[in-house]
């Protein structure tokens, strides 16, 4: 898969065919980069400008197309990985999540990179072959290299962007991204008690 931006769509080649899917990434990333006052930001602006340039002008270095299990057939989205110096910008966009019925709305779900290479499994665990959290440094949870911030659901959708030095795009290519049914508690070993794996995507 190769990914590029085209207006308000993300383009990706899948099975030799170029496809486009509407997205809201430019505005969201622009808010992240310029939301604290635009170019009046101090020295940190250099890295932020690099992020903005990298995301808007070049293809992602790696990407995963996320699809839900049979119990979550409407759940889909993408995760893009951009190498920026010795860090990686991870941008995720998901939709088709079940809308929260709680009074205060919203909710968090565990989100991790796993060390397996397949989004397959059993009836009880549809993505069992995705393995455990990617943990190149042999650390405890939540300090695995593949531990990412939970995604926040808003009206059945979720968007996230995080900059990490825990891995490069090349190091996670061929692994899997997993979305869980419950929030990560950042304490329970080995995986934060995040519940069932409800969606998966292989990073390519």
């Amino acid at each position: 898969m190769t990914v590029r931006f085209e207006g308000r769509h993300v383009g990706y080649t899948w099975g030799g065919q170029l496809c486009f899917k509407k997205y809201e990434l430019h505005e969201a990333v622009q808010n992240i980069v310029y939301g604290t006052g635009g170019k009046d930001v101090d020295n940190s602006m250099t890295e932020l400008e690099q992020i903005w340039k990298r995301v808007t002008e070049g293809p992602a270095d790696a990407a995963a197309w996320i699809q839900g299990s049979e119990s979550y057939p409407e759940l889909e989205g993408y995760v893009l990985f951009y190498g920026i110096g010795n860090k990686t910008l991870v941008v995720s966009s998901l939709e088709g999540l079940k809308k929260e019925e709680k009074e205060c709305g919203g909710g968090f779900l565990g989100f991790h990179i796993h060390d397996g290479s397949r989004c397959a499994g059993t009836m009880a665990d549809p993505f069992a072959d995705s393995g455990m959290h990617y943990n190149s440094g042999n650390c405890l949870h939540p300090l695995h290299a593949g531990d990412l911030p939970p995604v926040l659901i808003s009206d059945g959708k979720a968007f996230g962007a995080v900059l990490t030095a825990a891995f490069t795009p090349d190091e996670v290519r061929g692994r899997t991204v997993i979305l869980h049914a419950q929030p990560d508690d950042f304490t329970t070993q080995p995986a934060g008690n995040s519940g069932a794996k409800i969606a998966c995507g292989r990073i390519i």
Side-chain angles (χ1 to χ4, degrees), residues 43-66:
N43 293 335
S44 65
M45 195 62 208
T46 300
E47 186 169 65
L48 292 176
E49 285 181 332
Q50 290 177 3
I51 293 172
W52 177 244
K53 180 180 177 65
R54 186 70 185 82
V55 170
T56 57
E57 296 184 9
D61 295 301
W65 182 251
I66 308 297

Side-chain angles (χ1 to χ4, degrees), residues 21-43:
K21 186 173 183 64
K22 188 174 181 180
Y23 76 115
E24 297 178 359
L25 183 59
H26 275 90
E27 291 86 349
V29 174
Q30 187 169 4
N31 288 336
I32 292 169
V33 175
Y34 294 114
T36 55
K39 293 192 177 293
D40 294 328
V41 178
D42 58 15
N43 293 335

Side-chain angles (χ1 to χ4, degrees), residues 15 27 33 76-78 83 92 97 106 133 138-139 153 163-164 171 174 177:
E27 291 86 349
V33 175
E76 64 177 9
Y78 57 84
S92 59
L97 291 152
H133 291 188
N138 195 30
C139 301
I153 304 171
L163 189 65
T164 176
E171 289 170 337
V177 181

